[in-house]
Structure formats: C-alpha cells, structure tokens
Amino acid sequence: MQKIIILDFGSQTTQLIGRRVRELDTFCEILPYNKFPKDDPDVIGVILSGSPYSVHDPEAFKVDLSQFVGRLPVLGICYGAQFISHTLGGKVEKADSREYGRANLQTVDVTNPLFKGFEPNSQVWMSHGDTITAIPDGFQIIGSTKDVRNAAFWCPAEKLSNSKSSNCKSVWAVQFHPEVYHTLQGKQLLKNFVVDICGSHQDWSAASFVDTTVAELKAQLGTDRVILGLSGGVDSSVAAVLLNKAIGKNLTCIFVDHGMLRKNEFQQVMDDYKVLGLNVIGVDASEKFFSDLAGVTDPEQKRKIIGRDFVEVFNAEARKITDARWLAQGTIYPDRIESLNITGKVIKSHHNVGGLPEEMHLQLCEPLKWLFKDEVRRVGRQMGMPEHLITRHPFPGPGLAVRILGDITPEKVRILQDADDIYIRGLREYVDTDGETLYNKVWQAGAILLSTVRSVGVMGDERTYEHPVALRAVTSTDAMTADWAHLPYDFMAKVSNEIINKVRGVNRVCYDISSKPPATIEWE
C-alpha cells in the first residue's frame, strides 16, 4: 500500500500534517525524525515537519538526508525547510524579529508543480524565529512574502548534487505551514505534492480499510477467542464491530460500570451493543470503586485508583474466559503518537496504550491503531453503525470522577449526572440556524461539579448555600488544541434555569470560556 512518511521533528502541528494527507485518501505514517524506513518499497514521498528547535541548537534533531533525498520526492516544512537548506549548503540565521502569523505570497511561481492552482497573494501562516537567508546551490526560489524572500524554494532533480540516475526526485521546501487552517491554499499545496508529485493513487478510504482490516483480522486471529474491553465510546465500539465482522462469536466484550458514567448510560450502552449483535458481558462494580475512592481528593490519585480497580475487575471477568488468547483495544493513532514523543518521553498517559498486564498472558490486537478519530467515525458509518454512536462525544476513562472537584461520593455523582443530563439533552435537542444540532457542532461537552465550593443563593425566599456547576463545551478536530464553543445565549439561559430548578444541590451555573492551551478540556 502506498504511503507518505512524515518525519516528526517535534512540531505541535505534525499530527495535522498527517490528517491533511489522510484527507487526500492517502495513507501516511508519522515517525520520529530518526526512524526513516529505508527498505519500505511502499513509500512514495517524505515530508519533514516543523520543530521547536533552531537548526543551530546543540540538541536540535538531525536526520541523514541521503536516506531519501534524490530517491523520493521530499517536502520540508518550516524547520524541515531550514534543515534542508542548512544541511545542503544554504544559510539559516536568526531573524531580526520572530516571523509569526499571517503573511501573503507576493510572488509565487504557479508553473512549479507545488504551486499549481495558487492564486495571487495567497495567505500563508508563518511561525519561526530563524529565517533562511541563502538557499543551497542548485535550488531556486519559487515563493516570497514581503518579509521572507526564501519563503518557498526547490531543487529540480537534475540539479541535485547527488543525482546519479534519471530516476532522481526533486526537493521542495516552504518556510510556512501548509497544514494549518490559516494557510488558505495549504490543502492545495499538499494535494499537489502528495497526488501530483508523489503519485498517490488516492485509494485509502473507509471502505478499503474495512475490507483490508477484516481480512487481516481473520488471518491474524483465525479461530482464537478474543476479549475486548468496551467503554461505550466511538473507538472501542467501532473496534468491536470490526472484530465481530471478522470473527463473530469468538469475540467476547466486557463493559465495566465504575459508577461514574453519565445518567442511565450503562443500560443505554448495553442496549446499543445488543442491537449491534455483540456478545457483551456487563459488570456493575460501582460499589468497589466508590469504596476505594472514599476521601480521595487528589486528581492523579483518583485516576490511579480507577485505573487499578478497572484492571482488577476486568481481569477477574476475563479469567473466566479460559480459552482466550487475545486482548483487543480501541487504540487509535493519536493515542500512540501522544503517548511517546520523539525524545522517548511520555507526553500523555492513555489507558489503552503501553502493553498488557503480564498475568493476562494475552496477545494484543489493535485494529484501529492507524486511524485518526474522524477516520474511525467514517469506518463506523461504512459499517452501518447507528449515528448516535458514531457522533458520541469523547468521554474520559475515569468518567465523572475527573469532573467532580474533591472527593467522590454517590450523592455528588447523582448531582452531576442530573445536571450533565440536562445539558447534553439540551445540546442534542437545540437545532441551530443552519439546521445542525449544537451537540454535533461541538467536539466535546460536559458539566463539572465544583463540590469543593459553595455559593450563596436565594430559592423560594430562602437563603441557599449549595454547589456551583460549570458547563464546558469545546470545538476541535482532534483535541490537541481546542477553543470554547460560542453557544447561543438563549440556549445557555434555558439550560442554566433548568439545572438550577431541577437539580437538588446546585444553585449556580457558570460557563467555561477557556481554550486549550492553556487550559485542558477536562478540569482534572
């Protein structure tokens, strides 16, 4: 299968490059800068990402360009462009001032294949402290902004110094970021590179993924018994349906209720899975979780207890299936990328990344490990899954425990479940002016109980001293960054009034207008 290799030098937007390439129906892999697969015949092109480093930093990431320059089409982005110039004989110097934000290509060579279809003065997005003051011999400038003369340049294959065959490939470099939204024709540039220059057949699709993956799962698993931990979320549900298509009754799913799911969610999810024809064992372990969490207020400690208890409960149930040989997980591509960065340090812990408990003696199966979240949803639709499952918002593994500040009690969970239910139902029912529900327009939403705070109120001519609830809704594409959702005032007024009137223990509703960064999506 054809693929584009994206070498990651640590940029915050490397994942976005991958998403843009996938949007072109082309498979890609994001790999650490020093892990280029030399002997992979399916690679049709290479993209070098940006980086937080300067090429002059002693700790800057470096790669041996001779592994692919000349052999494959190459596109360097920002740091990638500077590294190409610096390594091949050009000059990179610290800019007089950081070049950040919108700029326009005042000159652009639209005859060059990278800029086919570009309009005059096309807007691009700059983000760098160094600038390329001289390009290497044999390279030609193909794009400039007012302040950046060498905004884009290339070296035709025949002029590469290491060109030794008629099959030599050209090199392109841009100092701006085509992958970000603010580069208005960035998708066109990437399409020109991936499709026209690299020759992608654009045959990576949800349909082809389902067919290929089901065949691979049949070959991998044979008649073996597989156990899958379900959460009710999109990822694990799609993984379950894929596995069910491949091995049917040999798949056993386990759904653990830790008591901190949304209101009535355990039964609703079990009913959904029954409709899908899945073999699911539901386990109500809420008493154990509440008991072990009693009096615990530290957020990280709460997460660890829930994670530990989940493994214990899951393992106890899994051991009853004595002939199981595999554990399946709904791990997706961003989980794997975020869990280990290019320096080998953990960025973010994921409950479904990092291997298996040794005592389980099971092999790991991850059918979604190459997919981004939007691709998982497309695969689910391709398999005919219900839309309400496909569009379900991400929900944290520890559930409402990380949306309750302070210790966890059944009463606090009841309060938050009731408030959250009013909020989420409201988002599903409110149809905006463009005909779309608010629920489908936001990436993630939920209520947070500030149980460590009490606020003064007046209800029924009496003074109250109860808890505030904060509502959170964000827009995003992959949760790497997120902006607070600008919900309509009439909707906010209705939801706030309903929560205060109907939920015992709440007398104040606030709305969180923090973006990520600096704030995370969850409060704990």
Side-chain angles (χ1 to χ4, degrees):
M1 177 175 56
Q2 290 181 319
K3 67 177 71 169
I4 297 290
I5 294 297
I6 301 167
L7 294 182
D8 182 16
F9 289 84
S11 171
Q12 291 183 335
T13 60
T14 301
Q15 272 204 50
L16 195 50
I17 301 173
R19 289 175 54 81
R20 295 288 181 254
V21 173
R22 294 283 183 88
E23 288 168 3
L24 296 168
D25 299 323
T26 303
F27 184 68
C28 67
E29 285 187 48
I30 298 173
L31 298 174
Y33 68 98
N34 56 354
K35 299 295 183 183
F36 179 75
K38 298 179 183 178
D39 301 319
D40 190 339
D42 294 328
V43 180
I44 60 173
V46 180
I47 298 176
L48 310 184
S49 82
S51 176
Y53 291 114
S54 162
V55 295
H56 300 295
D57 288 344
E59 65 271 32
F61 299 134
K62 297 177 173 61
V63 64
D64 179 5
L65 295 178
S66 66
Q67 298 176 93
F68 42 81
V69 166
R71 291 202 308 110
L72 295 162
V74 176
L75 172 63
I77 294 175
C78 196
Y79 176 91
Q82 294 170 0
F83 183 78
I84 288 171
S85 180
H86 176 71
T87 304
L88 299 183
K91 194 172 184 180
V92 178
E93 298 181 288
K94 189 172 184 62
D96 292 336
S97 60
R98 179 173 170 80
E99 294 165 347
Y100 180 84
R102 295 175 178 83
N104 296 90
L105 292 174
Q106 294 186 337
T107 60
V108 58
D109 181 2
V110 294
T111 66
N112 188 280
L114 191 68
F115 286 119
K116 184 182 73 174
F118 260 60
E119 300 171 356
N121 291 310
S122 186
Q123 179 180 292
V124 297
W125 184 264
M126 296 286 188
S127 180
H128 53 89
D130 289 349
T131 192
I132 299 168
T133 54
I135 58 178
D137 291 341
F139 281 72
Q140 303 168 14
I141 299 172
I142 54 175
S144 303
T145 69
K146 177 183 176 182
D147 299 316
V148 182
R149 182 169 182 267
N150 301 312
F153 51 98
W154 82 310
C155 185
E158 64 273 12
K159 291 189 177 182
L160 279 172
S161 59
N162 64 347
S163 176
K164 297 178 182 178
S165 72
S166 58
N167 199 34
C168 189
K169 305 299 182 182
S170 304
V171 177
W172 285 263
V174 295
Q175 287 206 76
F176 55 87
H177 287 270
E179 70 274 21
V180 303
Y181 172 80
H182 300 92
T183 296
L184 299 185
Q185 291 189 274
K187 290 183 180 180
Q188 179 67 41
L189 185 149
L190 290 171
K191 179 176 183 293
N192 291 342
F193 180 74
V194 170
V195 179
D196 297 344
I197 294 171
C198 297
S200 168
H201 297 157
Q202 294 186 281
D203 52 8
W204 170 259
S205 66
S208 67
F209 176 84
V210 171
D211 292 342
T212 301
T213 304
V214 168
E216 289 175 348
L217 288 171
K218 286 180 177 179
Q220 178 188 24
L221 304 173
T223 59
D224 292 349
R225 181 66 63 88
V226 179
I227 301 171
L228 171 66
L230 286 172
S231 68
V234 178
D235 302 336
S236 65
S237 299
V238 172
V241 175
L242 260 177
L243 284 159
N244 193 50
K245 287 175 71 71
I247 62 173
K249 60 182 177 56
N250 285 337
L251 171 68
T252 300
C253 304
I254 300 173
F255 181 31
V256 176
D257 180 8
H258 50 39
M260 287 153 285
L261 299 173
R262 283 178 156 145
K263 187 173 183 178
N264 302 322
E265 186 173 32
F266 181 70
Q267 190 57 52
Q268 290 169 358
V269 170
M270 290 295 291
D271 291 344
D272 282 336
Y273 288 149
K274 185 176 181 180
V275 171
L276 291 172
L278 299 178
N279 175 27
V280 184
I281 298 171
V283 183
D284 182 357
S286 55
E287 287 189 13
K288 173 180 175 57
F289 283 86
F290 280 125
S291 175
D292 290 350
L293 286 168
V296 178
T297 60
D298 179 73
E300 188 62 21
Q301 189 64 20
K302 286 195 287 186
R303 286 180 177 272
K304 288 180 177 178
I305 291 171
I306 292 170
R308 181 201 67 202
D309 284 4
F310 178 87
V311 170
E312 289 179 3
V313 173
F314 183 88
N315 287 356
E317 199 64 41
R319 278 194 289 269
K320 299 176 184 177
I321 307 170
T322 56
D323 58 344
R325 295 188 60 187
W326 298 83
L327 176 68
Q329 294 184 160
T331 312
I332 65 175
Y333 203 27
D335 295 343
R336 299 164 65 215
I337 296 169
E338 288 181 348
S339 292
L340 193 66
N341 74 3
I342 58 178
T343 63
K345 297 178 181 178
V346 173
I347 297 173
K348 178 181 178 183
S349 297
H350 288 268
H351 63 278
N352 55 354
V353 174
L356 304 173
E358 291 184 7
E359 66 271 16
M360 292 192 73
H361 304 295
L362 298 175
Q363 300 177 73
L364 186 61
C365 175
E366 298 173 305
L368 307 180
K369 64 182 179 181
W370 293 112
L371 299 186
F372 289 98
K373 178 72 78 173
D374 55 333
E375 293 174 320
V376 174
R377 291 192 167 108
R378 287 203 294 271
V379 167
R381 290 190 178 98
Q382 178 66 33
M383 295 189 297
M385 291 175 62
E387 192 65 16
H388 72 273
L389 276 179
I390 300 300
T391 58
R392 185 181 186 269
H393 287 176
F395 189 64
L400 300 180
V402 293
R403 293 181 179 175
I404 296 175
L405 304 192
D407 65 324
I408 308 298
T409 67
E411 173 62 10
K412 289 179 180 179
V413 171
R414 191 276 307 166
I415 293 172
L416 185 54
Q417 284 178 331
D418 288 347
D420 181 81
D421 182 60
I422 292 170
Y423 182 35
I424 298 301
R425 279 194 296 103
L427 289 169
R428 289 186 181 278
E429 294 168 359
Y430 190 101
V431 179
D432 211 351
T433 53
D434 59 1
E436 187 78 78
T437 66
L438 291 180
Y439 185 87
N440 288 340
K441 294 181 79 168
V442 304
W443 168 267
Q444 188 171 350
I448 299 93
L449 179 65
L450 280 63
S451 67
T452 57
V453 177
R454 288 186 181 272
S455 66
V456 176
V458 177
M459 300 178 73
D461 295 326
E462 293 184 2
R463 181 187 180 94
T464 63
Y465 199 51
E466 297 179 333
H467 299 298
V469 162
L471 304 182
R472 180 82 157 132
V474 298
T475 56
S476 182
T477 55
D478 51 21
M480 297 293 287
T481 61
D483 194 12
W484 61 278
H486 295 226
L487 301 178
Y489 286 166
D490 61 329
F491 167 78
M492 298 297 293
K494 181 177 183 298
V495 166
S496 172
N497 185 63
E498 189 172 353
I499 289 174
I500 292 173
N501 285 337
K502 294 184 177 180
V503 181
R504 289 180 294 106
V506 176
N507 67 353
R508 189 179 300 269
V509 173
C510 312
Y511 188 56
D512 183 347
I513 59 170
S514 310
S515 296
K516 175 187 178 181
T520 55
I521 294 176
E522 300 296 342
W523 277 45
E524 288 194 341

